[in-house]
Amino acid sequence: MGTNLLTTAYLGAAILFIQSLGGLSSQTSARRGNLYGLAGMVLAIGATALNPSVESFTLMLASVLVGSGIGAVLASRVAMTAMPELVAVLHSFVGLAAVLVGISSALAPHEALTGGAQVVHLVEIWLGVAIGAITFTGSIIAWAKLKGSLSGRPLLLPGRHALNAVVALSILGMAVPFIVATQGGDLATANGLLVGMTVLACILGVHLVMAIGGADMPVVVSLLNSYSGWAAAAAGFMLANDLLIVTGALVGSSGAILSIIMCRAMNRSILSVVFGGFGADSGAAPAQAAVITGEQKEWNIDDVAQAAAKAREIIIVPGYGMAVGRAQHLVHDFSKILRGKGVNVRYAIHPVAGRLPGHMNVLLAEASVPYDIVLEMDEINSDCPRTDLVLVIGANDIVNPGAETDAASPIYGMPVIQVWKATHTVVLKRGRGAGYAGIDNPLFYLDNTRMLFGDAKDSMQKLVSALKG
């Protein structure tokens, strides 16, 4: 393939990727956006395979087939509840790829460079490996937290910000002797510095994500998506691949923008999420929330069914518990029955509900819930006082009134769905434990709140049967 034709193919792929991002911005066009992205990737791989610099089609074809096969198997087997963990793992792969590309470029440069061009290339290698290493280990920690292998509580070491600053400055400072050693032909020293920096960057990635609490994990997933994009762009600079640079920049910038949007919706600073420790003073343990007194009052299935049948306005607030129970289809059946009886049933979505951005929207779309009754928190909060019944399904931190009233709470200042303002609030919950952020919820003890304990799917099945009966 000639240079002009290759450039045209890469340009076409880049346009398809941009169209893909545009499609993914809306639920109604998300499927089309995925198709654009798939077409762009097929075009990019095909054009790359026909690049005159490719020496082994067999190796490339084998790599594509093996990778595609693994991806297809994972995608078909992974449940929606495990999708956040899968996304985090995929981000780690991108970071690891950037590290390996950088180290490979340092050990065996694909072209001889001298002077300023060599300095620029070495800076590209250094930044690519650093960003990739942070993305790699940070994504692994995020995967472990999302999977439950690690606690969702933030790890707040004394002087953690100073520690992060020292490590970051060390990573930047080591770049100068690395460049000098490489240009002087002292490859042993240069390689040692590169490996040492990689270890430091891996440690920094671990510490940054360990310091972030469970309530912020959806933002963390979005941030890691941004990091993986910049890591891919850095790999593109190292390999002189224009499409990889453009694609990485698109992913990096869109991920950063999404993270900022989510933080604004949560009344948060993006820096407070990046560096962790929200709700805690530097170097100190997080403040303890106010002690909650009272008892949790329970309803049974018949009580909830009767309240739903009498209500005229109902809001359903889905959370991660709905995803774990795979109850979205039954929740839709529940709302269809009530809507058929003239009840105005709507869904309230919090920006960080679930474990990744848009998690609840995807689940409800999978269950064919109409888009027009799925509303964002800001759109529906003002309607809570005139709502007869709110059904909270597996959500905790996003409906915690302590975020508005308890200055000592780790989530104080985060906007939440004001379900306690409704006439009755029913919380479907597996047990009496705290939420993912490890915070007890005073909502569960209010006079107008009732608890319905049990698996979300089982409870919803019984509620649907009771309504039909």
Side-chain angles (χ1 to χ4, degrees):
M1 179 180 285
T3 303
N4 292 336
L5 187 57
L6 180 65
T7 301
T8 302
Y10 279 174
L11 180 60
I15 292 174
L16 286 171
F17 290 145
I18 294 172
Q19 291 291 333
S20 176
L21 287 175
L24 293 174
S25 63
S26 170
Q27 294 176 338
T28 56
S29 60
R31 188 180 298 274
R32 183 173 68 250
N34 278 323
L35 292 176
Y36 280 136
L38 178 62
M41 186 56 65
V42 170
L43 179 59
I45 293 175
T48 302
L50 298 177
N51 193 317
S53 62
V54 175
E55 299 177 355
S56 175
F57 291 101
T58 303
L59 183 60
M60 172 175 283
L61 180 61
S63 301
V64 171
L65 291 178
V66 171
S68 300
I70 294 174
V73 171
L74 288 176
S76 63
R77 292 184 177 180
V78 172
M80 276 304 303
T81 53
M83 194 59 67
E85 296 99 292
L86 177 62
V87 171
V89 168
L90 293 177
H91 290 161
S92 73
F93 291 164
V94 177
L96 180 59
V99 172
L100 296 177
V101 168
I103 294 176
S104 175
S105 298
L107 296 176
H110 64 281
E111 61 179 320
L113 298 174
T114 58
Q118 185 184 27
V119 172
V120 171
H121 183 62
L122 292 175
V123 170
E124 292 170 353
I125 291 174
W126 194 262
L127 292 178
V129 172
I131 297 172
I134 292 172
T135 304
F136 173 57
T137 55
S139 298
I140 290 178
I141 297 301
W143 167 83
K145 284 194 171 191
L146 292 167
K147 188 176 177 61
S149 301
L150 289 176
S151 171
R153 291 180 177 272
L155 174 66
L156 304 179
L157 299 178
R160 64 191 180 283
H161 296 313
L163 178 62
N164 288 337
V166 169
V167 174
L169 290 175
S170 298
I171 290 173
L172 294 175
M174 291 168 64
V176 175
F178 166 74
I179 295 172
V180 172
T182 303
Q183 289 189 312
D186 188 359
L187 298 183
T189 300
N191 293 337
L193 288 168
L194 184 60
V195 171
M197 181 275 291
T198 304
V199 172
L200 285 178
C202 287
I203 294 173
L204 182 60
V206 169
H207 186 229
L208 285 175
V209 180
M210 285 294 293
I212 298 174
D216 289 325
M217 288 312 295
V219 183
V220 173
V221 172
S222 178
L223 275 172
L224 290 171
N225 178 60
S226 178
Y227 293 168
S228 68
W230 299 124
F237 278 109
M238 289 184 279
L239 298 174
N241 187 299
D242 295 336
L243 181 60
L244 195 54
I245 295 172
V246 172
T247 305
L250 285 173
V251 174
S253 57
S254 61
I257 292 171
L258 176 60
S259 301
I260 292 172
I261 291 173
M262 293 179 68
C263 285
R264 286 177 178 172
M266 296 166 61
N267 192 30
R268 299 286 301 279
S269 162
I270 187 69
L271 294 179
S272 69
V273 178
V274 171
F275 297 108
F278 176 69
D281 295 329
S282 179
Q288 295 297 317
V291 176
I292 301 174
T293 58
E295 295 182 356
Q296 297 180 9
K297 296 170 282 291
E298 296 184 44
W299 267 0
N300 58 32
I301 293 294
D302 290 336
D303 294 330
V304 179
Q306 290 176 16
K310 294 177 181 178
R312 295 294 90 195
E313 294 282 344
I314 294 179
I315 294 175
I316 298 175
V317 182
Y320 188 63
M322 186 187 76
V324 172
R326 302 182 185 180
Q328 61 269 26
H329 294 281
L330 289 168
V331 172
H332 183 210
D333 292 340
F334 176 81
S335 64
K336 279 197 302 183
I337 293 172
L338 291 170
R339 293 181 73 203
K341 296 180 178 181
V343 182
N344 184 23
V345 181
R346 294 174 295 169
Y347 293 79
I349 305 298
H350 193 278
V352 296
R355 294 292 185 270
L356 81 165
H359 196 183
M360 295 300 105
N361 300 82
V362 172
L363 288 174
L364 296 178
E366 181 187 35
S368 301
V369 174
Y371 297 138
D372 60 334
I373 64 172
V374 180
L375 304 177
E376 299 297 326
M377 173 184 63
D378 293 338
E379 299 175 292
I380 205 168
N381 249 354
S382 59
D383 293 340
C384 287
R386 62 180 181 85
T387 300
D388 302 308
L389 177 67
V390 173
L391 209 62
V392 179
I393 306 176
N396 193 326
D397 303 316
I398 62 172
V399 292
N400 191 330
E404 294 187 355
T405 60
D406 184 5
S409 173
I411 61 171
Y412 181 70
M414 183 181 86
V416 291
I417 301 175
Q418 299 168 338
V419 299
W420 59 88
K421 293 184 178 181
T423 303
H424 287 102
T425 300
V426 176
V427 180
L428 278 68
K429 203 168 180 293
R430 285 175 293 180
R432 299 177 183 272
Y436 187 64
I439 308 166
D440 202 1
N441 193 340
L443 169 71
F444 304 155
Y445 304 87
L446 297 180
D447 291 336
N448 63 332
T449 299
R450 296 296 182 269
M451 309 298 295
L452 180 60
F453 293 111
D455 176 76
K457 186 174 184 179
D458 181 61
S459 296
M460 290 308 306
Q461 179 66 69
K462 292 176 180 177
L463 281 174
V464 169
S465 299
L467 285 179
K468 288 181 178 179

